[in-house]
Amino acid sequence: MNERTIAEAALVVVDTEGIGALTMRRLAEQLSTSPMALYHHLPDKEAVLEAVAQLLLAEVEAPPPGLGWQETLRRIMRSARAVALRHPHAASLIARFPPRTPDALAFVEAGFRSFRAAGFSPSSTATAYRILVGYSLGTQDVELGGYFATHPATRSPNGSLDQPSTDRILPTVAEIGPLLAAGDPDQEFEHGLDIVLTGIEAILPRE
C-alpha cells in the first residue's frame, strides 16, 4: 500500500458515495485494512483529499509540442472540464488543491511551453494561466452546481405581500430570466473559451 493506492481507493468512495462519506474508517474498509495503517502514509483526511485532487489533475490531457498555443489550450481546457464532469462528486477538490505532483503538473507544463513557444513573456504566460484557471473553475462550479437551473429569475416570481410582481418592477429580468436555464453547456463553454482565448491574443504582450 502506498499514497497512490490510498488515493485511488478514496476516489472510488468519493465517486460513488460523495466527499461527505469519506472518512479514514470508510477508506480503511475500502482497502481492507485498519485506519491506523493509513496514517503511515497520509496524516489525515485532508491529506487524502489532496492526494485525490492530484489524481484528478493527472487525468487532464497534456498535449504534445507543436500544436500551437490556442489548440494546446483548447485541449487542456476541454480535458479539464471532462475530468470534472466524469467525477462530479470529487470535482470541487480541483479548486481546493492546485497541482503538485509531476503527473498533475504535466498539463501546466504543456500550456506554459505552448505560450512561451508562441512568444508570450513569462509574465504574460502567468497572467494567461490565472485567467484560464478562473474560467475553468468558474464554469465548472456553475455547471455542476446547476446555478442557472435553480436561478430564481428563471421562474418569474410573483413578488410578495410587500413587493409587486417581478415583471412590474424588473421587466427585463422577467423577459430574459426564463431563458437562463435553456442554454447548452457545451456550446456556451466553447463560446466562452473562444472569447477568453481571443482576449488573451489581443491584449497580452509578447516578447
Side-chain angles (χ1 to χ4, degrees), residues 179-196:
L179 303 176
L180 294 177
D184 183 312
D186 295 332
Q187 291 182 1
E188 291 182 355
F189 178 83
E190 291 293 331
H191 184 57
L193 185 56
D194 284 340
I195 293 171
V196 171

Side-chain angles (χ1 to χ4, degrees), residues 81-201:
R81 177 171 177 258
V83 170
L85 295 178
R86 194 158 59 241
H87 303 281
H89 295 306
S92 64
L93 299 176
I94 297 173
R96 284 180 59 187
F97 302 104
R100 167 181 58 82
T101 66
D103 285 349
L105 283 163
F107 77 90
V108 179
E109 172 68 19
F112 285 176
R113 182 181 59 221
S114 71
F115 277 121
R116 296 293 286 132
F120 288 90
S121 68
S123 178
S124 292
T125 297
T127 297
Y129 177 67
R130 289 193 294 268
I131 291 169
L132 289 163
V133 168
Y135 180 71
S136 179
L137 296 181
T139 55
Q140 171 187 305
D141 191 47
V142 167
E143 185 170 359
L144 291 177
Y147 179 85
F148 289 114
T150 59
H151 198 296
T154 66
R155 297 190 293 275
S156 296
N158 294 320
S160 67
L161 292 176
D162 300 317
Q163 292 185 315
S165 63
T166 302
D167 58 0
R168 289 175 54 192
I169 61 172
L170 303 170
T172 311
V173 170
E175 176 192 21
I176 305 299
L179 303 176
L180 294 177
D184 183 312
D186 295 332
Q187 291 182 1
E188 291 182 355
F189 178 83
E190 291 293 331
H191 184 57
L193 185 56
D194 284 340
I195 293 171
V196 171
L197 294 179
T198 299
I200 289 172
E201 174 70 49

Side-chain angles (χ1 to χ4, degrees), residues 23-45:
T23 63
M24 298 302 273
R25 182 177 297 278
R26 176 67 186 88
L27 183 53
E29 291 174 358
Q30 183 71 22
L31 289 163
S32 299
T33 188
S34 68
M36 290 306 298
L38 302 178
Y39 293 114
H40 292 296
H41 303 277
L42 292 164
D44 51 32
K45 178 180 174 179

